[in-house]
Amino acid sequence: MSGTESPVLAVLCGGQHPPDMQPIEQAALVRYTDATGLPGALRDADALFVYDFLSTAVRAAWPSANRLRWLHIASAGVDPVMFPALRDSDVVLTNSRGVFDGAIAEYVLGQILAFAKDFATSLRLQDERTWRHRESERIQGRSVLVVGTGPIGRAIARLLRAAGMSVAGAGRTPRTGDPDFGTVHASDRLAECLPTADYVVAVAPLTEQTKGMFDVTAFAAMRQGARFINVGRGELVVTGDLVEALRSGQLGGAALDVFDTEPLPVDSPLWTMDNVLISPHMSGDFAGWRTALVEVFADNFRRWLAGEPLHNVVDKRLGYVPSS
Amino acid sequence: MSGTESPVLAVLCGGQHPPDMQPIEQAALVRYTDATGLPGALRDADALFVYDFLSTAVRAAWPSANRLRWLHIASAGVDPVMFPALRDSDVVLTNSRGVFDGAIAEYVLGQILAFAKDFATSLRLQDERTWRHRESERIQGRSVLVVGTGPIGRAIARLLRAAGMSVAGAGRTPRTGDPDFGTVHASDRLAECLPTADYVVAVAPLTEQTKGMFDVTAFAAMRQGARFINVGRGELVVTGDLVEALRSGQLGGAALDVFDTEPLPVDSPLWTMDNVLISPHMSGDFAGWRTALVEVFADNFRRWLAGEPLHNVVDKRLGYVPSS
């Protein structure tokens, strides 16, 4: 920062302010706002902290961002702010890469075990006080394809491999000998690697290239009875095609934490399908996540004030932070 | 075997005969029986294969076992046949150590993740088509005490450690530097190590020493809110004390695969407790387990015919196969 004036920081938050902002409030003029107030808060603001990370309000308010130099979003996925005017601007975009990795990996392993050990049936039988012995599946040696090789995908691969599963990845750059994935297949040739997997995990960033990548063709390419787990973005999936693949038995099950419309509408057929496990976009949100998100922002804020290079700078053409 | 006569093998099975017995039927006169027919089947039998491994019928039929030299049980726990007359006899007792280890370890990890990620609430909300975001817990770094350091406990420890948890054991011989457990505490001084654990896993063999070891004193010694997982035997637990510890909030939850009465009676208060996950004694029973059990028996049967040392010989004073 040059000059002696405090910089102006706009914070887009819903009902809930971020915690632990006192140190930042001492170094900047902080304007907390919601979507309605965002255009006003952006005027003459130097930085924007998108704490309400699923909000798409930034796009409409963008014309008011006359002085913005930095936008930080409290999520790993930056798709809610990837509109052309931001992409083409000089505004630096950073994300919260790293906060959610371990929690999401644990979530995915838990969902795989829930399928293999049929916890949903156990719980439903428990509600009826019914004792009904069934056989379960092993996860050891079962194959998983993790589609998305960023830090979250990598954490998933590491944990599943540690638990005895056979893991491969699909990403932009095909390669072998990756320390976490072993083989990484080309994600634009997904149909070639999908047939090998008992479990397919979607964790790719949402971009023009990945939108709708899990469609009727992809589901048809999967092993019959395979399970699909989405902890990335709902829009990676053509939901109607997923529903049909589940209905026909082509897919054995799906664990879905994200949806193309959130909250999932009450009339969605997904709610009542026996082989679907639904959770409300919470896979990464461990107790303490809000504090951790503000820590990541605060660290970058300190760097920004000091004129140091920021962490987690998004390549706005790619739509994510490239792996180093 | 001496002489040319085929040995007589009694097989105690319920409604379901063991699979893949043809090779054994070619080498022995096999008498399949249920509890009622057991005394007759045991007369002049040389060996007994207890395939119906939860049956306690052997004790009553024992006076008919006039020529028995070997008893093999299709389970890891041998408590159903540990009555004094067998213990004091020269009959060699072998078990099915090894078949269930990996499956039970996966089950325990799954139940821990189900607690941490609150899958039960997600499923109940799904049944109501209700979207309600909650925070979840990490398992990384959480502490687990595995009570029972036999092969199943060891497989549990290895898997939980691989998944990032902090593991210790409790067993007969306290020690440090164990490759799987790190520290093994003395299981007869359980109250001293219970307070350190977020999760306590019961997988000890059921013996006179371990019966009822999880009682009001043990539950009171646990960290408030700790979760208790029983994949050993129901009789390790004083069920009334467990129910009270769950009701009072001293325990945060319990995942129970075994019970002192099985099937769990319909009027058990455990069925309807929100923080209890019930499964019907199935944690080790992966698809293929029956075949695997017969393989273990068939291997020992071949050794027995050839006069070779048997695998998995139980120390009948201890009530389990001592670690080598």
Side-chain angles (χ1 to χ4, degrees):
Chain A
M1 296 302 301
S2 61
T4 54
E5 230 174 281
S6 285
V8 176
L9 169 69
V11 177
L12 174 61
C13 44
Q16 197 164 17
H17 281 210
D20 305 326
M21 289 289 285
Q22 297 82 352
I24 290 159
E25 289 169 2
Q26 285 170 7
L29 177 64
V30 181
R31 300 175 179 162
Y32 297 98
T33 184
D34 59 10
T36 311
L38 187 60
L42 271 180
R43 195 164 314 279
D44 297 333
D46 301 285
L48 170 62
F49 177 24
V50 179
Y51 182 68
D52 181 8
F53 51 85
L54 292 176
S55 168
T56 56
V58 178
R59 183 175 194 153
W62 195 250
S64 304
N66 58 314
R67 204 170 85 177
L68 201 70
R69 287 176 293 138
W70 173 40
L71 191 164
H72 180 90
I73 186 163
S75 61
V78 298
D79 47 285
V81 296
M82 282 307 289
F83 49 88
L86 171 58
R87 198 166 47 223
D88 299 342
S89 74
D90 293 330
V91 173
V92 175
L93 174 61
T94 57
N95 76 356
S96 300
R97 176 182 166 111
V99 170
F100 303 98
D101 303 2
I104 294 179
E106 291 176 358
Y107 204 84
V108 169
L109 176 57
Q111 294 289 32
I112 289 174
L113 283 164
F115 278 126
K117 309 304 176 183
D118 199 13
F119 287 161
T121 303
S122 290
L123 207 67
R124 291 190 170 118
L125 290 171
Q126 180 175 344
D127 284 345
E128 302 165 10
R129 304 188 188 207
T130 299
W131 180 277
R132 188 181 303 149
H133 181 273
R134 293 104 59 212
E135 292 182 349
S136 63
E137 298 170 15
R138 296 295 310 271
I139 68 163
Q140 184 174 55
R142 293 302 174 95
S143 60
V144 187
L145 182 71
V146 180
V147 181
T149 54
I152 301 177
R154 204 164 273 286
I156 293 169
R158 267 197 302 273
L159 185 59
L160 300 187
R161 191 179 288 274
M165 303 192 78
S166 170
V167 177
R172 196 168 37 119
T173 314
R175 55 197 183 273
T176 55
D178 182 279
D180 298 319
F181 294 103
T183 299
V184 175
H185 302 276
S187 52
D188 57 4
R189 301 175 70 175
L190 209 53
E192 294 175 19
C193 51
L194 284 173
T196 63
D198 298 306
Y199 295 89
V200 176
V201 181
V203 66
L206 178 64
T207 67
E208 285 308 310
Q209 286 72 47
T210 63
K211 191 173 177 177
M213 71 191 298
F214 293 99
D215 58 6
V216 61
T217 309
F219 294 127
M222 291 184 195
R223 185 173 285 186
Q224 187 170 10
R227 280 111 177 204
F228 177 69
I229 298 176
N230 192 358
V231 288
R233 289 290 188 218
E235 296 93 328
L236 298 173
V237 178
V238 179
T239 302
D241 293 356
L242 172 62
V243 168
E244 183 47 37
L246 287 162
R247 276 200 180 126
S248 72
Q250 168 57 18
L251 280 187
L256 307 171
D257 189 54
V258 291
F259 304 88
D260 52 10
T261 305
E262 295 180 5
L264 182 65
V266 74
D267 61 354
S268 167
L270 292 167
W271 283 114
T272 51
M273 299 183 88
D274 265 355
N275 50 356
V276 173
L277 304 172
I278 287 176
S279 55
H281 202 145
M282 61 180 276
S283 68
D285 303 346
F286 61 97
W289 67 298
R290 293 183 182 280
T291 302
L293 281 172
V294 173
E295 277 170 12
V296 168
F297 171 69
D299 177 59
N300 253 352
F301 181 77
R302 187 195 57 70
R303 292 170 171 275
W304 182 67
L305 283 184
E308 296 172 9
L310 299 183
H311 282 158
N312 303 345
V313 175
V314 173
D315 181 325
K316 292 190 289 183
R317 287 159 309 138
L318 293 174
Y320 51 88
V321 180
S323 296
S324 52
Chain B
M1 296 298 302
S2 61
T4 54
E5 233 173 282
S6 284
V8 176
L9 170 68
V11 177
L12 174 61
C13 44
Q16 197 164 17
H17 281 211
D20 305 325
M21 289 289 285
Q22 297 81 352
I24 290 160
E25 289 168 2
Q26 285 170 5
L29 177 65
V30 180
R31 298 175 179 162
Y32 296 98
T33 184
D34 58 10
T36 310
L38 188 60
L42 270 180
R43 194 164 312 280
D44 296 333
D46 300 286
L48 170 62
F49 176 22
V50 179
Y51 181 69
D52 182 7
F53 50 83
L54 292 176
S55 168
T56 56
V58 179
R59 183 175 194 154
W62 194 250
S64 303
N66 59 314
R67 207 170 84 177
L68 201 71
R69 287 176 293 137
W70 173 39
L71 190 163
H72 180 90
I73 186 164
S75 61
V78 298
D79 46 285
V81 295
M82 283 308 289
F83 48 89
L86 170 59
R87 197 166 48 224
D88 298 341
S89 74
D90 292 332
V91 172
V92 174
L93 175 61
T94 57
N95 77 355
S96 300
R97 177 182 166 111
V99 170
F100 303 98
D101 304 1
I104 294 180
E106 291 176 358
Y107 204 84
V108 169
L109 176 57
Q111 294 289 32
I112 289 173
L113 283 164
F115 277 126
K117 309 304 177 184
D118 199 14
F119 287 161
T121 303
S122 289
L123 206 68
R124 291 189 171 117
L125 289 170
Q126 180 174 343
D127 284 344
E128 302 165 10
R129 304 186 188 208
T130 299
W131 180 277
R132 186 181 304 150
H133 181 272
R134 294 104 59 212
E135 292 182 349
S136 63
E137 298 169 15
R138 296 295 310 272
I139 68 163
Q140 184 173 55
R142 294 302 175 97
S143 61
V144 187
L145 182 71
V146 179
V147 181
T149 54
I152 300 176
R154 202 165 276 285
I156 293 169
R158 267 195 303 272
L159 185 60
L160 300 187
R161 191 180 289 274
M165 304 192 78
S166 170
V167 177
R172 195 169 38 119
T173 314
R175 56 196 183 273
T176 56
D178 183 279
D180 298 318
F181 294 103
T183 299
V184 175
H185 302 277
S187 52
D188 57 4
R189 301 175 69 175
L190 209 54
E192 293 174 20
C193 51
L194 284 172
T196 62
D198 297 306
Y199 295 90
V200 176
V201 180
V203 65
L206 178 63
T207 67
E208 285 309 310
Q209 285 73 47
T210 63
K211 191 172 175 176
M213 71 192 297
F214 293 100
D215 59 6
V216 60
T217 308
F219 293 126
M222 290 183 196
R223 185 173 285 185
Q224 188 169 11
R227 280 110 177 204
F228 177 69
I229 298 177
N230 191 358
V231 288
R233 288 290 187 216
E235 296 93 327
L236 297 173
V237 177
V238 179
T239 302
D241 293 356
L242 172 62
V243 168
E244 182 48 37
L246 287 162
R247 276 201 179 125
S248 72
Q250 168 58 17
L251 281 188
L256 307 171
D257 190 55
V258 290
F259 304 88
D260 51 10
T261 304
E262 295 180 6
L264 182 64
V266 74
D267 61 354
S268 167
L270 292 167
W271 283 114
T272 51
M273 299 183 88
D274 266 354
N275 49 356
V276 172
L277 305 172
I278 287 176
S279 55
H281 201 144
M282 61 181 275
S283 68
D285 302 347
F286 61 97
W289 66 298
R290 293 184 182 278
T291 302
L293 282 172
V294 173
E295 277 169 11
V296 168
F297 171 70
D299 178 58
N300 252 351
F301 181 77
R302 188 194 56 70
R303 293 170 170 275
W304 183 68
L305 283 184
E308 296 172 7
L310 299 183
H311 282 158
N312 303 346
V313 175
V314 173
D315 181 325
K316 292 190 289 183
R317 288 159 309 139
L318 293 174
Y320 51 89
V321 180
S323 297
S324 53

